[in-house]
Amino acid sequence: MYFVTGTDTEVGKTRVTAGLLSAARREGIQTLGLKPIAAGCDTTPEGLRNDDALALMAASSVSLPYEAINPIALAPPIAPHIAAAQAGQTITAARLSEALPRAAMASADLCLVEGAGGWRLPIGQGATLPQWVQAEGWPVILVVGMKLGCLNHALLSAEAVRADGLKLAGWVANRVDPAMRHYDENLATLAEMLAAPLLAEVPYLEGEAAADHLGPAARRLTAAG
């Protein structure tokens, strides 16, 4: 059981999370991905649907209804606590915990819970998502969007995870900028300073499956979990 966060929004959390699930599934490992909060959902005949949550469903071998994967679905692509307030909803740690499909989670060999945005995400009424992760006690995987500024974002995120009393189980370098200068030097700096295992490097991808680069990481997480 792991919680997946990122150094910011749009850094590839879903690509990495779905890739890890798919890579493990290829090897016969039971997988389950959850996206408890999703803002930016499309209106469909079945209700609100989010592309990230659907990607996790497709990558999981444990089959659940959409609402179990993404219990808090919000239409506007804005900060979830603002979207929830506009919809007359309240997001709380208790609500998130009550919605967890715990029996299905226990049946999976690898269960990944993907957050929203970066680490210090407000959920409303002065609360933040990490307070819920603290209550659940999940180790954290950090997806680092490899681009200019990633050193500061990654180091601050890792510092915050540890300050909240949680274990940083590892990190994934996801290259979101194909033209990033001195990629290797930045990667080496993070490997030295994050003090957590580099689980995998995912190159800049256009249509290629991230799972092709995440097999060893998936096996390592499953064995450790």
Side-chain angles (χ1 to χ4, degrees), residues 25 30-32 57 60-66 68-69 104 107:
R25 184 178 181 178
Q30 287 285 96
T31 61
L32 175 62
M57 286 184 71
S60 299
S61 58
V62 177
S63 180
L64 290 174
Y66 179 87
I69 301 296
S107 72

Side-chain angles (χ1 to χ4, degrees), residues 45-70:
E46 293 76 31
L48 291 174
R49 294 293 183 266
N50 176 262
D51 287 344
D52 294 347
L54 291 172
L56 299 189
M57 286 184 71
S60 299
S61 58
V62 177
S63 180
L64 290 174
Y66 179 87
E67 291 74 16
I69 301 296
N70 174 214

Side-chain angles (χ1 to χ4, degrees), residues 9 11 49 64 81 85 100 110 114 127 175 189 199 205 215:
T9 191
V11 296
R49 294 293 183 266
L64 290 174
H81 72 294
L100 287 174
L110 179 63
E114 183 189 330
R175 191 163 188 172
T189 299
L199 299 171
L205 300 174

Side-chain angles (χ1 to χ4, degrees), residues 1-3 97 100 102 105 113 119 129-140 161 164-169:
M1 184 76 61
Y2 299 91
F3 183 82
S97 290
L100 287 174
R102 295 192 185 274
M105 293 165 71
V113 181
W119 177 248
L129 195 59
Q131 291 170 315
W132 174 57
V133 183
Q134 281 179 304
E136 295 292 338
W138 294 324
V140 176
V161 168
D164 287 335
L166 292 162
K167 177 183 178 182
L168 183 61

Side-chain angles (χ1 to χ4, degrees), residues 147-211:
K147 59 182 179 178
L148 184 64
C150 69
L151 299 181
N152 178 62
H153 292 163
L155 294 171
L156 284 176
S157 297
E159 181 180 317
V161 168
R162 293 184 173 116
D164 287 335
L166 292 162
K167 177 183 178 182
L168 183 61
W171 61 287
V172 175
N174 183 44
R175 191 163 188 172
V176 295
D177 178 6
M180 181 185 185
R181 300 176 64 185
H182 302 291
Y183 170 85
D184 291 337
E185 292 87 341
N186 280 274
L187 184 74
T189 299
L190 290 175
E192 176 186 2
M193 298 187 68
L194 280 178
L198 170 57
L199 299 171
E201 291 180 65
V202 179
Y204 182 77
L205 300 174
E206 290 186 354
E208 184 183 354

Side-chain angles (χ1 to χ4, degrees), residues 89-115:
Q89 298 186 40
T90 302
I91 303 173
T92 64
R95 180 182 174 189
L96 290 167
S97 290
E98 288 168 4
L100 287 174
R102 295 192 185 274
M105 293 165 71
S107 72
D109 300 310
L110 179 63
C111 181
L112 302 178
V113 181
E114 183 189 330

